[in-house]
């Protein structure tokens, strides 16, 4: 059925007015937050004290904490090492659906490893895992959802990265995944299963740290408001109010606060520690730091991304500079739409299309006993959707 | 049917009709096939379909177009696009004959090769065998429209002449030229162009 364009035509004027008002509200918030950011920069001890108190007092927290660098830091692009190894992994999945004839789940991970400076074509790997039946069912016997499958996908990405790192790799070795480095943020996962995955991810993190591998998570067009929450805490402290990080009036993506500070292409922000307090957070998890990076090559059009990495990286001289330079250079390969080339390629390797999911289903059906197969019917709703 | 063990596989069939076919190959396999080379596709019914490479095209996609406009691409990523990504090089082939039960025919085959049939580059012995069976296959080349027929003739006759010379038939090339003159006797402008192109082989 086509869209009712006449109806849309009628609504679009109202939408534009609402959107303009919303943008004005965001600009107003940005202006307040930039002022607060400057004030916090001038009172680093008060800011630190406020955050540390919040860490003690609040049980639900997700914000930025300054490190030794002044928060107004904007650092230019360092030199890129002549040779290094960059490994990117990305995954996609087939989420089990009761509408299919067969209930099954698949995690597909694409990995690409380049020895930059060698001149050789990168190595590519694709790992496809058919999830076991007990993996796709909850304790209550229902099918697991998007978040659970995504968690298994994240784990599969990390496992493949660990396998791909070799003693023969050109050093330094950097790994890159799409999205935050932590996996426990997936909100709906509860119980032992989620904790087990988090434990495994933590073990992998520890192993990679021992081997000196720099793991990084790349967040394109970041929407999180970690700096806003940091400033909300600072404001409460300054005004003598009870500490509260969730101030709706100050909620704004960090990139709006920093885009005037990181004007020059290749500049990065100060390093912040990502502070998380949550009932779901496992006791052992990787302390994470991040900076914002302007990956644009045009001074008039800043394009800020967030790069997450383990906190220990910021404690080793030279590693943050190396990561900063490598990621900017990598994003410049696709310079009109800056994004790490290898991350795009790993996505290209991993993505599972609908037609491929259907092929897997046919393949699995062919292995079933004819008697069982007879009773596995696709839902009528799904069948009819396939007609259009 | 020809002995495939001695031939070099250069790709697999993508699409075909009776008079032409297209094979795909990876860039790594692109070192051997050349414009004008004699190639063969072997069918399951023991028929070999012969053709000449009339064009080799390199495909692109959105990512390649994006990279082309980039300022600097590391050599490793150029290699990634050439060797890792699923963008086959297309080899276009003009069908010029077939063989069945060891007998060469310069007519179009009864049916075209099928998708994924393997394409082989013919070795000297096969070139000699196919071209020793008369010159009537040249009419297929002359029928081509909007393609560099003269260049194709030069490339093919150059290869065939070298092979025929090596098997002790130095008069083969001259006879081929005579045959072309006969075939083009009513099309003087085209004949002039063909002879002009062939003068490069003198």
């Amino acid at each position: 059925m086509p869209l009712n364009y006449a109806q849309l035509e009628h609504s679009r004027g109202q939408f534009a007015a609402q959107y303009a008002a919303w943008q004005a509200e965001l600009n107003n918030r940005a202006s307040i937050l930039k002022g607060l950011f400057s004030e916090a920069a001038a009172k680093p001890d008060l800011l630190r004290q406020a955050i540390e108190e919040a860490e003690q007092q609040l049980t639900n927290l997700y914000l930025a904490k300054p490190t030794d660098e002044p928060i107004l830091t904007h650092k230019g692009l360092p030199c890129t090492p002549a040779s290094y190894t960059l490994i990117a992994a990305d995954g996609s999945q087939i989420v089990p659906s009761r509408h299919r004839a067969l209930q099954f789940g698949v995690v597909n991970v694409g990995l690409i490893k380049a020895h930059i400076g060698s001149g050789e074509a990168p190595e590519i790997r694709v790992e496809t895992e058919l999830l076991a039946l007990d993996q796709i069912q909850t304790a209550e016997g229902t099918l697991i959802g998007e978040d659970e499958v995504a968690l298994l996908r994240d784990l599969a990405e990390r496992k493949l990265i660990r396998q791909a790192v070799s003693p023969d790799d050109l050093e330094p070795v950097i790994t890159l995944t799409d999205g935050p480095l932590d996996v426990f943020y997936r909100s709906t996962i509860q119980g032992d299963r989620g904790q087990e995955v988090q434990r495994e991810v933590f073990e992998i993190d520890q192993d990679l740290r021992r081997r000196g591998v720099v793991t990084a998570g790349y967040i394109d067009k970041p929407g999180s408001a970690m700096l806003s929450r940091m400033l909300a805490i600072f404001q409460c402290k300054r005004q003598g109010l009870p500490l509260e990080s969730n101030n709706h009036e100050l909620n704004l993506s960090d990139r709006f606060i920093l885009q005037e500070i990181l004007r020059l292409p290749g500049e990065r922000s100060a390093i912040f520690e990502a502070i998380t307090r949550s009932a779901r957070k496992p006791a052992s998890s990787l302390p994470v730091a991040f900076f914002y990076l302007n990956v644009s090559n045009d001074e008039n059009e800043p394009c800020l991304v967030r790069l997450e990495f383990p906190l220990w990286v910021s404690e080793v001289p030279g590693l943050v500079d190396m990561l900063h330079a490598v990621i900017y250079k990598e994003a410049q390969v696709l310079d009109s739409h800056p994004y790490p080339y290898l991350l795009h390629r790993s996505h290209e390797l991993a993505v599972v299309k609908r037609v491929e999911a259907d092929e897997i289903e046919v393949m699995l059906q062919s292995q079933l006993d004819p008697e069982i197969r007879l009773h596995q019917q696709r839902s009528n709703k799904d069948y009819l959707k396939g007609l259009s | 049917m020809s002995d495939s063990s001695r031939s070099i596989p250069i790709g697999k069939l993508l699409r075909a009709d009776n008079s032409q076919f297209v094979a795909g190959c990876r860039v790594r396999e692109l070192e051997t096939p050349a414009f004008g080379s004699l190639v063969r596709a072997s069918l399951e019914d023991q028929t070999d379909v012969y053709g000449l490479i009339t064009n080799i095209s390199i495909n692109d996609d959105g990512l390649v177009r994006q990279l082309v406009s980039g300022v600097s691409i590391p050599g490793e990523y150029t290699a990634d696009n050439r060797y890792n990504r699923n963008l086959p090089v297309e080899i276009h082939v003009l069908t010029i004959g077939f063989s069945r039960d060891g007998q060469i025919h310069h007519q179009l085959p009864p049916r075209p090769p099928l998708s994924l049939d393997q394409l082989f580059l013919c070795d000297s012995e096969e070139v000699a065998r196919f071209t020793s069976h008369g010159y009537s296959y040249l009419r297929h080349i002359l029928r081509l429209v909007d393609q560099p027929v003269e260049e194709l003739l030069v490339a093919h006759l150059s290869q065939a002449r070298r092979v025929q010379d090596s098997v002790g038939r130095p008069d083969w090339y001259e006879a081929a030229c005579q045959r072309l003159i006969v075939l083009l006797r009513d099309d003087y402008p085209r004949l002039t162009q063909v002879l002009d192109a062939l003068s490069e082989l003198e």
Side-chain angles (χ1 to χ4, degrees), chain A residues 12-247:
Chain A
R12 68 178 185 158
Q14 192 185 1
F15 174 81
Q18 285 172 347
Y19 207 86
W22 182 50
Q23 286 301 306
E25 168 61 23
L26 293 185
N27 289 340
N28 186 40
R29 278 185 211 175
S31 168
I32 294 168
L33 284 164
K34 282 173 196 166
L36 265 176
F37 200 60
S38 300
E39 283 183 47
K43 295 175 180 169
D45 293 337
L46 184 65
L47 175 63
R48 176 167 288 278
Q49 190 188 347
I51 303 301
E52 285 171 356
E53 282 177 21
E55 285 183 81
Q56 298 295 322
Q57 295 171 18
L58 303 178
T59 52
N60 201 6
L61 207 59
Y62 182 50
L63 50 66
K65 180 181 180 181
T67 57
D68 293 339
E69 288 186 332
I71 61 172
L72 286 174
T73 297
H74 51 110
K75 196 155 187 241
L77 192 63
C79 289
T80 316
S83 61
Y84 54 92
T85 300
L86 186 57
I87 303 172
D90 196 23
S92 72
Q93 63 278 325
I94 301 171
V95 179
S97 164
R98 67 186 172 83
H99 289 288
R100 282 192 174 276
L102 289 185
Q103 275 75 64
F104 69 98
V106 168
V107 165
N108 197 48
V109 179
L111 179 138
I112 181 162
K113 173 161 92 171
H115 290 145
I116 303 296
S118 71
E120 292 168 4
E123 296 167 27
I124 55 174
R125 279 176 75 174
V126 177
E127 292 280 327
T128 308
E129 182 189 357
L130 178 66
L131 300 177
L133 273 184
D134 63 347
Q135 283 181 293
I136 64 166
Q137 289 176 350
T138 64
E140 293 76 35
T142 56
L143 290 174
I144 61 171
E146 292 267 358
D147 268 5
E148 281 92 342
V149 181
L151 188 68
L152 294 171
R153 181 203 63 205
D154 289 349
L155 175 63
E157 287 173 11
R158 263 58 165 198
K159 280 181 174 174
L160 196 59
I161 282 175
R162 178 162 65 174
Q163 283 174 25
V165 175
S166 144
D168 300 331
D169 289 336
L170 295 172
E171 289 189 348
V173 179
I174 305 125
T175 76
L176 200 53
T177 45
D178 182 37
L181 218 45
D182 249 328
V183 294
F184 66 86
Y185 64 92
R186 299 199 182 282
S187 58
T188 62
I189 300 160
Q190 314 226 333
D192 294 346
R193 205 192 307 233
Q195 285 178 10
E196 195 182 310
V197 171
Q198 286 156 7
R199 250 195 315 274
E200 278 190 79
V201 169
F202 182 64
E203 277 174 25
I204 293 170
D205 289 335
Q206 294 296 97
D207 181 41
L208 292 173
R209 178 184 180 170
R210 274 192 296 275
R211 295 156 78 180
V213 176
V214 176
T215 52
Y218 187 94
I219 298 105
D220 193 40
K221 202 178 177 186
S224 65
M226 297 167 82
L227 293 178
S228 303
R229 289 195 206 96
M230 176 188 83
L231 294 172
I233 293 282
F234 173 75
Q235 193 185 37
C236 292
K237 177 72 180 170
R238 202 185 51 166
Q239 295 174 344
L241 297 170
L243 300 182
E244 174 54 68
S245 66
N246 293 323
N247 182 343

Side-chain angles (χ1 to χ4, degrees), chain A residues 117 119 330 336 341 345 348, chain B residues 66 76-77 80-81 84-85:
Chain A
E330 182 66 14
S336 64
Y341 172 81
R345 283 283 287 123
E348 193 178 63
Chain B
Q66 176 76 38
E76 292 80 8
Y77 297 170
D80 179 46
N81 274 275
N84 289 338
R85 297 191 68 239

